[in-house]
Amino acid sequence: MENVVIIGTGCAGYTAAIYTGRANLAPLVLAGTQIGGQLTTTTEVENYPGFPDGIMGPDLMMRMQQQGEKFGARIVYENAESVEVIDGGFRITTGSATHEAKTVIVATGASPRHLGLANEKELIGHGLTSCATCDGAFYRNVPVCVIGGGDSACEEASFLTRFASKVYLIHRRDELRASKIMADRVLANEKVEPVWDSTVTEYITDDKGEMTKVKLKNLKTGEENKLEVKCVFVAIGHVPNAQFLNGLVNVDENGYILKTKGTQTNVPGLFTAGDVADHVYRQAITAAGDGCAAALDAERYLAELEG
Ligand code: NAP
């Protein structure tokens, strides 16, 4: 039986691997479908401490992986499909194997929701993103748009006014879902122009594949038009990747894993870290901090089991 199985290889999973590795727990890490997590879909990361000149997202994740492996983490390219409680621990079933472990750290992250338009995958990193904090500073003095009407969309739109020449806030209704204070703040900003009752039906690119325009449809009148933007920030919510746990742990109304104490879930020995349990901060550094905390919690839990 393994001491610890870590599920996920974003900042949280790899940091948990580094810490449990250094604690001589020989962690087994299940890489999942998106190896390296959300940062592998971004370009330059300018806000991760220790890299004053920035670092490319995939490069940062590769370094975290190497650091984990240096301390004995074993990374297998499997995707966890279920976790069940067994005598003395857990059984984790992947597409190709089963593993048994005394503790499990779930660090499977969250996936930004997208509209499902044709060329979305190719456009990520080329004018389509879900993270204003990560990418906003690359779009100085050019028009951009945010899609969504919740707190995230308002927060992102407000943040983007620091850089962009104009921020269109495209929402499918004529009333924001966001809290009043956030909605009032964003609508009072003269750089923000709301586009009500509208949905984006197409992303239009130049011949280099960079975003140049969005095609809009007014849902009330059916009228269509185009808007020039250099970047689209999609803020229509995230989906926490906790479905594979199939109700084993308690989650909130949006599916985010709930913690009882520290990184502990309601199931003893099952810990969680990063975006799968955090819809508030959602930063690489907070996920890494969480991964560290989960590793320390798992280590203490194992010491108590054996003590
Ligand atoms: P959210 O509240 O679920 O809002 C999602 C927005 O996207 C809604 O306006 C929704 O439109 C729109 N949307 C969803 N699917 C869409 C689609 N297919 N096409 C077009 N629009 C679509 O998500 P969120 O803003 O990420 O917030 C998640 C949670 O985090 C919330 O509880 C929020 O309060 C919290 N949060 C808090 C803060 C803060 O307090 N600082 C910051 C960020 C987030 P409808 O309104 O028409 O449904």
Side-chain angles (χ1 to χ4, degrees):
M1 193 175 251
E2 304 284 349
N3 289 309
V4 55
V5 164
I6 297 165
I7 308 179
T9 48
C11 293
Y14 279 148
T15 306
I18 294 164
Y19 274 76
T20 50
R22 289 192 79 243
N24 274 345
L25 296 175
L28 180 71
V29 186
L30 309 184
T33 50
Q34 191 174 22
I35 301 156
Q38 287 189 61
L39 280 196
T40 57
T41 67
T42 62
T43 48
E44 198 165 6
V45 180
E46 289 183 329
N47 55 7
Y48 200 88
F51 298 94
D53 300 322
I55 180 166
M56 298 304 278
D59 188 17
L60 178 61
M61 299 321 295
M62 210 174 63
R63 289 174 185 228
M64 286 193 196
Q65 174 176 350
Q66 287 166 349
Q67 202 172 347
E69 285 176 329
K70 176 176 159 189
F71 296 115
R74 291 157 300 141
I75 296 161
V76 293
Y77 296 93
E78 295 174 25
N79 189 35
E81 291 181 350
S82 68
V83 176
E84 61 188 303
V85 176
I86 57 169
D87 203 17
F90 302 89
R91 180 178 298 119
I92 304 101
T93 305
T94 71
S96 53
T98 57
H99 306 280
E100 291 185 354
K102 294 177 200 164
T103 63
V104 170
I105 297 173
V106 175
T108 42
S111 305
R113 199 176 271 140
H114 274 277
L115 292 173
L117 299 180
N119 49 348
E120 245 157 34
K121 267 200 184 133
E122 303 82 70
L123 268 171
I124 289 174
H126 298 276
L128 180 64
T129 173
S130 299
C131 180
T133 321
C134 317
D135 298 324
F138 299 122
Y139 297 93
R140 287 176 197 269
N141 305 318
V142 291
V144 300
C145 72
V146 175
I147 306 175
D151 280 329
S152 294
C154 292
E155 200 168 63
E156 305 243 307
S158 294
F159 178 76
L160 288 166
T161 59
R162 296 186 200 177
F163 313 104
S165 56
K166 184 167 203 82
V167 181
Y168 297 102
L169 181 60
I170 303 169
H171 184 35
R172 62 183 176 185
R173 294 186 292 129
D174 61 0
E175 192 188 356
L176 295 173
R177 172 180 295 278
S179 51
K180 189 162 169 14
I181 187 164
M182 304 269 271
D184 288 350
R185 189 179 303 148
V186 77
L187 295 176
N189 193 314
E190 59 186 23
K191 273 194 179 179
V192 174
E193 183 177 326
V195 182
W196 302 117
D197 300 312
S198 295
T199 184
V200 171
T201 54
E202 194 182 334
Y203 297 131
I204 300 167
T205 61
D206 61 13
D207 51 14
K208 291 189 195 109
E210 300 288 331
M211 185 78 74
T212 53
K213 291 187 184 104
V214 292
K215 192 169 175 188
L216 288 173
K217 184 175 183 180
N218 185 302
L219 296 169
K220 280 192 175 151
T221 62
E223 195 185 320
E224 292 191 321
N225 65 324
K226 289 175 187 162
L227 212 54
E228 272 189 42
V229 289
K230 292 283 181 211
C231 192
V232 176
F233 293 82
V234 184
I236 59 171
H238 277 72
V239 186
N241 300 319
Q243 300 88 336
F244 73 101
L245 292 170
N246 208 14
L248 177 66
V249 299
N250 291 340
V251 296
D252 72 10
E253 67 278 9
N254 295 312
Y256 288 88
I257 298 178
L258 291 168
K259 298 171 190 170
T260 51
K261 184 170 178 243
T263 62
Q264 173 70 62
T265 68
N266 61 304
V267 181
L270 200 154
F271 304 88
T272 188
D275 286 13
V276 71
D278 169 24
H279 63 80
V280 180
Y281 301 108
R282 301 192 307 223
Q283 299 300 300
I285 188 65
T286 53
D290 257 7
C292 161
L296 296 178
D297 287 345
E299 195 184 330
R300 283 183 196 133
Y301 176 88
L302 285 166
E304 274 170 30
L305 269 190
E306 274 142 35

